[in-house]
């Protein structure tokens, strides 16, 4: 009888462990194994943003991101390439001084401000025209 109990307990325990190893189903987009927090954050922003009227398609922009210490993401989407910014790609800059400052350009430059805590866009707009 004791062997039966031990065997049953072992079987029950192993089935619990096996079910814990299963990944929960989710509607969240699957990310590559090498994706960082910032990569996932950029993909989420790009997936949920509504670009302003007159803007280009998302893949026509080089997308530059900067994470401020207050939990706000500043992004600049540009339709022209720079050596470190390629159209169709997203890149994070770690230093505020490396984040481009562009004051004109119409919808060839889109400025984005996103608050991580609320998952909401504070601002999404085409730049002015000089």
């Amino acid at each position: 009888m004791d062997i039966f109990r031990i065997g049953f307990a072992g079987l029950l325990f192993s089935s619990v462990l096996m079910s814990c190893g299963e990944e929960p189903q989710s509607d969240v987009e699957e990310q590559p194994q090498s994706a960082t927090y910032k990569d996932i954050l950029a993909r989420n922003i790009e997936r949920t943003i509504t670009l302003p009227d007159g803007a280009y398609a998302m893949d026509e922009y080089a997308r530059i991101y900067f994470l401020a210490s207050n939990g706000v993401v500043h992004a600049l989407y540009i339709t022209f390439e720079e050596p470190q910014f390629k159209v169709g790609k997203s890149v994070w800059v770690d230093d505020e001084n490396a984040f481009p400052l562009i004051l004109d350009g119409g919808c060839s430059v889109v400025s984005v401000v996103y608050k991580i805590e609320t998952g909401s866009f504070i601002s999404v707009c085409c730049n002015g025209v000089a």
Side-chain angles (χ1 to χ4, degrees):
M1 187 77 120
D2 288 333
I3 293 174
F4 177 74
R5 287 184 191 163
I6 292 171
F8 181 73
L11 179 62
L12 181 62
F13 182 71
S14 64
S15 67
V16 167
L17 283 179
M18 287 186 347
S19 68
C20 288
E22 292 178 11
E23 293 187 26
Q25 297 298 316
S26 171
D27 61 353
V28 175
E29 183 179 327
E30 188 173 321
Q31 303 297 328
Q33 291 294 336
S34 62
T36 66
Y37 169 75
K38 288 181 176 179
D39 293 334
I40 294 167
L41 181 57
R43 286 188 191 117
N44 185 56
I45 290 169
E46 292 167 9
R47 185 174 48 82
T48 58
I49 193 170
T50 300
L51 293 173
D53 290 340
Y56 298 86
M58 182 64 69
D59 63 351
E60 294 183 52
Y61 288 102
R63 300 174 301 274
I64 306 118
Y65 294 92
F66 172 71
L67 178 57
S69 61
N70 63 352
V72 172
V73 175
H74 296 269
L76 198 64
Y77 297 175
I78 60 175
T79 58
F80 50 91
E81 291 194 0
E82 294 290 324
Q84 68 274 35
F85 309 127
K86 303 292 181 196
V87 168
K89 304 287 182 186
S90 298
V91 65
W92 286 86
V93 296
D94 293 325
D95 181 0
E96 187 175 7
N97 295 324
F99 190 77
L101 177 62
I102 303 172
L103 302 175
D104 62 355
C107 285
S108 67
V109 180
V110 175
S111 297
V112 178
V113 182
Y114 177 85
K115 186 170 180 113
I116 295 172
E117 183 180 350
T118 60
S120 61
F121 294 92
I122 297 169
S123 173
V124 178
C125 60
C126 295
N127 275 16
V129 179

